[in-house]
Amino acid sequence: MKRQQVLNWNEYFMSVAHLSALRSKDPNTQVGACIVNDDNVIVGIGYNGLPKGCSDDEFPWGNVGETLDTKYAFVVHAELNAILNSYSSLKDCTIYVSLFPCNECAKAIIQSGITKIIYEDDKYAATDAVKASKRMLKAANVEIEQLDQKIKVEVIK
């Protein structure tokens, strides 16, 4: 008899997003993303971090102060990293992301051809960036689904 206690697809891909987030050096918010095609094949993953070639030790990680003294001008979001790290067409793909995408990531999601977002947390829902994101995603007919349970990934070392 086969094993019954297995992850469903949503749990599996959101777990991959969470595992990817563990690579983030951000001391406050670790976000991961996983892009999947219609065949349930992962075609891109990413986490929030600095661009390639930029040292994690030479750029700021703070979130308070002047723009150039904070992470905001330098960090690439998980969604954009997953899109940039993809190796095939993203047309009609689904992106799993641990935190609802900002307006800049929504633009990249729409332009890349991704048609569905499955997310966990929407803690910035009241911000203008997320309000703009939701407006654009709705206009572009990108389906949005929030998982009703939080996924927890434990790494054994």
Side-chain angles (χ1 to χ4, degrees):
M1 184 177 218
K2 70 179 180 180
R3 193 166 74 93
Q4 299 297 318
Q5 298 291 340
V6 298
L7 297 174
N8 65 39
W9 287 118
N10 283 346
E11 293 166 335
Y12 176 71
F13 294 127
M14 190 60 76
S15 294
V16 171
H18 279 284
L19 185 62
S20 183
L22 294 175
R23 287 281 310 141
S24 176
K25 308 285 191 325
D26 191 317
N28 298 305
T29 306
Q30 300 80 45
V31 181
C34 177
I35 304 173
V36 180
N37 69 17
D38 285 341
D39 292 324
N40 287 323
V41 174
I42 296 171
V43 296
I45 57 174
Y47 58 90
N48 56 316
L50 293 173
K52 290 178 186 175
C54 295
S55 171
D56 295 328
D57 297 321
E58 296 176 17
F59 287 85
W61 286 103
N63 59 1
V64 177
E66 297 294 318
T67 301
L68 296 179
D69 296 326
T70 68
K71 63 185 176 180
Y72 299 115
F74 307 105
V75 170
V76 180
H77 287 184
E79 303 92 325
L80 184 55
N81 262 327
I83 290 167
L84 295 172
N85 290 333
S86 64
Y87 62 88
S88 69
S89 170
L90 302 182
K91 186 176 182 329
D92 298 325
C93 284
T94 297
I95 187 167
Y96 289 79
V97 63
S98 53
L99 183 63
F100 195 89
C102 71
N103 61 308
E104 294 299 322
C105 289
K107 293 175 196 177
I109 288 167
I110 292 165
Q111 288 296 94
S112 72
I114 292 171
T115 54
K116 185 171 185 178
I117 299 170
I118 297 179
Y119 70 98
E120 246 184 14
D121 198 351
D122 196 9
K123 70 179 180 178
Y124 298 113
T127 66
D128 287 344
V130 172
K131 288 177 184 177
S133 176
K134 289 178 179 178
R135 182 176 173 185
M136 286 186 287
L137 293 165
K138 182 178 180 181
N141 294 314
V142 175
E143 187 180 345
I144 299 169
E145 177 184 336
Q146 183 172 21
L147 289 185
D148 54 358
Q149 68 179 39
K150 295 259 182 175
I151 304 297
K152 184 177 179 185
V153 173
E154 293 185 40
V155 176
I156 300 170
K157 293 184 180 184

